[in-house]
Amino acid sequence: MPDLLLYGDSERNYALRHEVPITIIDPFLYAERDGRSFILASSLETDRLRAARPDAELLDSLELGFLELLESGLDREQVWLEVVSRGVAKVGVREAIVDFEFPLGLAERLRADGVTLTVDDPAVGRRRRVKSEYEMAGILRAQRAAEAGIAAAAELLRRAEPVDGTLHLDGQPLTAEAVRSAIRLTCAERDAPTPPDIIVASVWQGFGHESGSGLLPAGLPIQVDLWPCDEASHCWADMTRTFVTGGEPPEEVLRQERLVREALDAARSAARPGITGRELHALACDVFEREGYRTQRTGPGEHREEGFQFSLGHGVGLAVHEDPSLGQAGRAPLVAGDVLAVEPGLVDRNVGGVRFEDLLLITEQGAETLTDYPYDLRP
């Protein structure tokens, strides 16, 4: 196994967060050499690091000359760069892989010290494909919050009434913003807040990651897509359901629902270690192309957004979008321990679209569905 160097803060660097499962807001060094782990961080983090990684060897910045360097005339950033350089030398790393986010300034300093660095982001990324018990617990907490958020949205939509083609609740227009606020409040109460741009949208509000705004239609699909983040673990969930209320859904929407369910079931049944994301995507494309819809595999038609013009999904963990890819670029085989968001969908420019999204855990036997929520269009 090659030596490894990671540097940054564990709030934003997911590779570091996987190795050191606590939030450290200041940059620190993580190193592995000959099977041993080393951490160089502020002395303020010592107790927390000992609790989180009792197996790791903590490097003492004072022993590396931190106080003397503070009196040398160097600014604080230069002082810490020198301390990190000395820490790498103390560990004995002379050749290591780093991730894509490794700072260029630090890389230049270490290379000047004679350390050979190779950017191997895929190798670093593979380390966190298999989720730890701590991460799985966080994903499940986030998923339960997602289900509660969807239920909160469904309750508002269930109570809404049609007025001139739009939805009203308690005598007032029901807006995407109101539904989104109810979702975010519900998830936050479960210590898994969502970003502000979660999706409550219909054919009136755009396509793709357009979050939706304003009035909601009666009798047409409303897609609710949310991704809460568990605060304790910084792990995510991702979930989508589609609802129609205030009128009977058009025949095209019922057709979409049937085919999207079929595509989701086909992917779920086939998901197992060894199959690729590209192969799973192909199964969904097969379902849709059989019925005359264009897909990302065939390319768009006259109307670029129509059909299934996106991937089947993605990995979920410390990032809401991470490896493996479940699209045309998804050539990496799945492994036991992957958590996948599988989200087939269809779009029609006249009525909107239907999309369902579940979380799957890849096991040695196949796939376990982590999402526990029905697929009914009626909220």
Side-chain angles (χ1 to χ4, degrees):
M1 180 184 297
D3 291 350
L4 170 71
L5 291 176
L6 299 173
Y7 184 83
D9 65 76
S10 60
E11 189 170 38
R12 292 172 295 183
N13 186 301
Y14 307 128
L16 269 172
R17 183 60 181 250
H18 178 70
E19 308 299 341
V20 184
I22 56 174
T23 299
I24 298 179
I25 61 175
D26 294 316
F28 67 98
L29 175 75
Y30 177 84
E32 286 187 5
R33 182 171 186 269
D34 295 336
R36 297 162 62 191
S37 299
F38 303 85
I39 300 173
L40 172 58
S42 165
S43 59
L44 298 174
E45 310 294 352
T46 299
D47 291 343
R48 299 173 66 228
L49 285 169
R50 284 176 176 156
R53 284 294 307 266
D55 59 310
E57 300 176 44
L58 304 187
L59 302 178
D60 189 338
S61 62
L62 298 184
E63 293 181 0
L64 296 172
F66 177 68
L67 293 181
E68 292 81 357
L69 288 167
L70 287 178
E71 301 301 323
S72 68
L74 297 175
D75 65 33
R76 189 173 183 85
E77 294 295 329
Q78 292 173 314
V79 165
W80 190 245
L81 180 63
E82 179 63 29
V83 169
V84 171
S85 170
R86 294 178 182 184
V88 172
K90 182 178 178 64
V91 171
V93 172
R94 303 305 298 164
E95 184 173 351
I97 63 170
V98 299
D99 63 343
F100 193 76
E101 297 180 22
F102 198 83
L104 177 59
L106 178 56
E108 288 183 341
R109 169 57 192 268
L110 294 179
R111 284 170 174 153
D113 293 341
V115 179
T116 300
L117 300 178
T118 302
V119 178
D120 193 345
D121 209 56
V124 176
R126 284 193 294 270
R127 295 171 66 93
R128 69 175 209 267
R129 289 276 298 276
V130 178
K131 306 302 184 287
S132 69
E133 290 185 12
Y134 178 79
E135 290 166 347
M136 277 306 309
I139 290 170
L140 289 173
R141 288 193 297 268
Q143 179 56 41
R144 300 290 87 84
E147 292 157 9
I150 289 282
E155 175 62 15
L156 292 181
L157 295 172
R158 184 188 64 78
R159 292 169 48 212
E161 298 179 346
V163 177
D164 296 329
T166 65
L167 295 177
H168 282 58
L169 181 63
D170 298 332
Q172 299 295 324
L174 180 61
T175 65
E177 289 86 351
V179 176
R180 186 158 41 245
S181 292
I183 294 170
R184 297 189 70 210
L185 177 61
T186 299
C187 291
E189 288 173 344
R190 287 156 177 80
D191 298 323
T194 72
D197 57 344
I198 60 172
I199 295 170
V200 180
S202 71
V203 68
W204 292 353
Q205 282 104 19
F207 169 73
H209 286 159
E210 167 61 44
S211 59
S213 62
L215 300 176
L216 296 170
L220 290 177
I222 298 168
Q223 291 187 9
V224 180
D225 184 354
L226 66 157
W227 44 99
C229 181
D230 174 61
E231 287 185 319
S233 66
H234 205 277
C235 286
W236 298 77
D238 202 356
M239 178 180 178
T240 304
R241 288 297 184 265
T242 304
F243 298 112
V244 179
T245 190
E248 291 300 317
E251 187 61 34
E252 170 60 20
V253 172
L254 295 175
R255 183 178 184 230
Q256 289 177 341
E257 177 196 24
R258 174 176 59 83
L259 294 175
V260 171
R261 286 287 305 276
E262 181 181 346
L264 178 57
D265 289 341
R268 189 194 334 263
S269 298
R272 63 186 185 279
I275 196 169
T276 68
R278 183 181 176 92
E279 290 172 315
L280 292 181
H281 184 250
L283 292 175
C285 291
D286 288 343
V287 172
F288 298 143
E289 291 169 13
R290 182 193 73 209
E291 301 296 324
Y293 292 95
R294 299 190 69 88
T295 70
Q296 191 182 63
R297 185 168 68 178
T298 64
E302 178 183 357
H303 301 282
R304 297 183 62 85
E305 74 277 7
E306 285 199 321
F308 179 48
Q309 296 299 323
F310 43 91
S311 74
L312 180 64
H314 49 87
V316 176
L318 288 166
V320 69
H321 287 170
E322 63 178 37
D323 289 339
S325 167
L326 304 184
Q328 290 299 93
R331 294 178 170 83
L334 303 187
V335 299
D338 276 329
V339 174
L340 312 177
V342 180
E343 49 180 331
L346 287 169
V347 175
D348 180 281
R349 69 185 184 282
N350 296 310
V351 298
V354 172
R355 185 160 54 90
F356 298 123
E357 180 179 24
D358 281 350
L359 277 192
L360 306 183
L361 169 64
I362 301 302
T363 69
E364 295 292 351
Q365 292 72 39
E368 175 189 345
T369 302
L370 303 180
T371 306
D372 184 15
Y373 199 91
Y375 304 97
D376 300 336
L377 290 179
R378 291 290 188 186

